């Protein structure tokens, strides 16, 4: 029996009318739920959400933090149920599902903590006051205030819990009401997460709207105080940029990324740094069947190329692919039939310029959207094009040979190849050679939102480059969309307007007191 998902608009749960989408279990293709947003009055929904802004703005950061705390606790109390839904609707193994669900809980809890730390203020100070006149009396301050609009969140199919939660946490703490729209194909988890938030009773009326399907004409109704935070493909992002430029709404884009993992020439196969590199790369290829925006797509190695190839092929050959409801399975299917088609086509393109070492574009089972972990080898990556351009959103990566006989030359050559990705979310580099790292990191830094330095000193402590942490910014320039989210309080800036106030210092302090602790 399939469930009917509902949207939460104007303070009520409603079922969509007309054409409905069917959500399936991607391992079995069995239908699980149906959903749609036909019949929803988007103008009225938007009006109701706008009505939620004054109440949120009136709350202190500590009070907004309490709303988040209640939500995070509710998710924690229903963790197993959410994990079960992610296994069924997302093709997730239990480990993949925990990654999404626990990431959601931890990120909301992190923003709840930040709210508690900011205490009784309602607007964030940016830097210290500056003296503008002859005396300290005439001064200026910079302030981040919540934008006077609605934040529309459009999420990708791969992280229905975490994606919904990370955007919601930053918006609510900043003081902006939300209209949240998950990807339709995996909306079961996001829908339950939304229900649990509403059921806390902590969200002020209007502050949270949930659309279990398409956004109708909502985006054409937005204005300059509104924000759209989008995560998804570059193609959809391009459409939204055009559409929203006409409306003047602010748009943040988190899109594709050809993330690179680079092995320093100093790292030998018997070292902790080597083990970390191999473990991180294998995890990134198979976790969530490679459907992570931060997953490594290009692996660069120099003198150790043959040993890297051998280690990765050995580890990937041992991965059991199948229905993730079975505990022995190490990797589940792709999330949708469209994904399967796109990934197989993407592997085909890569295989025209790189040699397939393991896996390939054949389907693995007759039912379900399975592909095998796939590793290719580009012996001359400088001559490759698709390897640096096309994100194949599945368990697929290309090992690339980096020539260069000195650390300095290797750093320069690797950096040049990494930059060919046109801007990424995260680049990981593994080395214990400080000169190599300094040269490499500074060369690739302008092309990334985050750089992960794997070394023997951190080997026992990291969760790998693929884990997005609420403390650090997430996003990247160029190909990755140019957006930025998270990064602790930095994540509130997307939903805020920075304003300079100048005048009598005592007056400024009374209008916008500095936080008690920050
Ligand atoms: P997608 O097809 O672009 O869809 C993303 C979202 O946009 C979905 O919610 C989709 O809704 C919605 N959408 C599609 N067309 C729209 C339109 N014309 N107007 C408004 N909304 C529209 O991407 P996807 O296949 O779900 O996600 C995979 C991509 O996301 C990958 O390329 C991956 O790299 C990227 N991604 C990036 C990050 C990051 O943080 N940078 C994180 C995760 C994923 P429906 O589902 O209802 O069509």
């Amino acid at each position: 029996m399939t469930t009917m998902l509902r949207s939460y608009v104007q303070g009520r749960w409603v079922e969509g009318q007309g054409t409905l989408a069917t959500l399936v279990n991607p391992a079995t293709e069995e239908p699980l739920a149906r959903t749609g947003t036909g019949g929803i009055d988007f103008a009225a929904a938007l009006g109701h959400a706008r009505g939620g802004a004054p109440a949120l703005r009136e709350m202190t950061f500590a009070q907004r933090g309490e709303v988040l705390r209640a939500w995070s606790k509710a998710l924690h109390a229903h963790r197993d149920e959410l994990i079960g839904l992610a296994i069924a609707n997302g093709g997730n193994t239990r480990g993949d599902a925990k990654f999404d669900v626990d990431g959601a809980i931890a990120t909301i809890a992190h923003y709840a903590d930040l709210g508690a730390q900011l205490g009784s203020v309602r607007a964030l100070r940016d830097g210290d006051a500056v003296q503008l006149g002859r005396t300290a009396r005439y001064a200026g301050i910079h302030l981040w205030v919540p934008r006077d609009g609605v934040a529309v969140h459009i999420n990708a199919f791969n992280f229905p819990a975490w994606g919904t939660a990370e955007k919601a946490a930053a918006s609510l703490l900043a003081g902006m009401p939300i209209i949240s729209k998950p990807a339709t194909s995996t909306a079961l988890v996001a829908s339950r997460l939304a229900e649990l938030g509403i059921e806390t009773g902590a969200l002020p009326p209007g502050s949270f709207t949930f659309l279990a399907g398409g956004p109708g004409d909502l985006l054409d109704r937005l204005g300059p105080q509104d924000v759209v935070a989008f995560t998804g493909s570059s193609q959809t992002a391009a459409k939204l940029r055009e559409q929203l430029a006409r409306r003047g709404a602010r748009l943040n884009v988190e899109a594709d990324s050809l993330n690179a993992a680079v092995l320093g020439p100093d790292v030998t196969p018997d070292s902790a740094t080597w083990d970390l590199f191999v473990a991180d790369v294998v995890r990134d290829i198979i976790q969530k069947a490679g459907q992570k925006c931060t997953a490594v797509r290009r692996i660069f190695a120099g003198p150790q190329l043959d040993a890297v190839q051998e280690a990765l092929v050995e580890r990937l050959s041992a991965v059991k692919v199948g229905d993730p409801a079975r505990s022995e399975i190490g990797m589940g299917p792709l999330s949708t039939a469209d994904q399967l088609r796109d990934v197989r086509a993407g592997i085909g393109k890569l295989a025209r310029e790189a040699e397939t070492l393991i896996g390939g574009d054949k389907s693995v089972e007759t039912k379900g959207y399975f592909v095998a972990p796939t590793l290719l080898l580009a012996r001359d990556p400088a001559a490759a094009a698709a390897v640096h351009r096309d994100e194949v959103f599945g368990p697929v990566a290309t090992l690339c040979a980096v020539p260069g006989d000195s650390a300095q030359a290797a750093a320069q050559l690797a950096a040049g190849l990494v930059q060919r990705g046109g801007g990424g979310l995260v680049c990981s580099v593994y080395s214990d050679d400080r000169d190599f790292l300094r040269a490499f990191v500074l060369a690739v830094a302008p092309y990334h939102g985050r750089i992960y330095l794997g070394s023997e000193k951190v080997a026992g402590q990291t969760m790998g480059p693929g884990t997005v942490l609420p403390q650090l910014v997430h996003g990247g320039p160029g190909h990755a969309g140019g957006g930025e989210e998270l990064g602790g309080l930095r994540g509130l800036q997307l939903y805020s307007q920075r304003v300079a106030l100048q005048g009598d210092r005592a007056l400024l302090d009374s209008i916008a007191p500095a936080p008690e602790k920050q």
Side-chain angles (χ1 to χ4, degrees), residues 11 65 214 318 359 425:
L425 295 172

Side-chain angles (χ1 to χ4, degrees), residues 40 72 110 130 137 150 165-166 211 219 249 251 369 402 431-432 483:
I40 288 177
S72 139
H110 179 75
V130 283
R137 182 174 292 173
V150 165
E166 58 100 13
L211 300 177
L219 301 185
L251 173 65
Y369 313 134
V402 183
S431 172
D432 296 288

Side-chain angles (χ1 to χ4, degrees), residues 153-159 162 166-167 181-186 212-216 219 228 230-237 239-240 243 253-257 259 291-294 297 336 339 342 391 393 425 468 474-476 480-481 485:
H153 296 164
I154 303 177
N155 276 302
F157 70 85
N158 56 339
F159 281 102
W162 178 84
E166 58 100 13
K167 286 181 167 52
K181 182 217 145 356
T184 303
S185 57
T186 56
L219 301 185
V228 175
F230 168 78
T231 297
S233 63
S234 300
Q235 292 85 336
T236 309
K239 284 187 211 156
L240 295 184
Q243 185 177 11
V253 172
E254 302 287 347
D256 312 352
S257 181
N259 310 299
Q291 299 165 112
K292 274 190 335 204
C293 53
T294 51
R297 306 289 172 202
T336 64
Q339 273 298 114
D342 290 354
E391 181 203 51
F393 206 56
L425 295 172
V468 173
H474 174 59
E485 292 184 328

Side-chain angles (χ1 to χ4, degrees), residues 318-369:
V319 175
K320 285 203 173 95
V321 180
D323 185 341
R326 304 205 313 266
S327 61
E328 75 276 15
I329 291 300
M331 191 181 90
L334 299 170
S335 294
T336 64
D338 284 353
Q339 273 298 114
L340 178 63
R341 187 201 55 215
D342 290 354
V343 167
R344 289 170 70 177
I347 295 173
K349 264 194 203 166
L350 294 178
R352 285 200 276 280
E353 55 185 41
E355 177 189 330
T356 305
L357 299 175
I358 182 171
D361 61 359
K362 302 281 171 293
S363 69
V364 173
E365 307 212 352
T366 47
K367 270 270 178 215
Y369 313 134

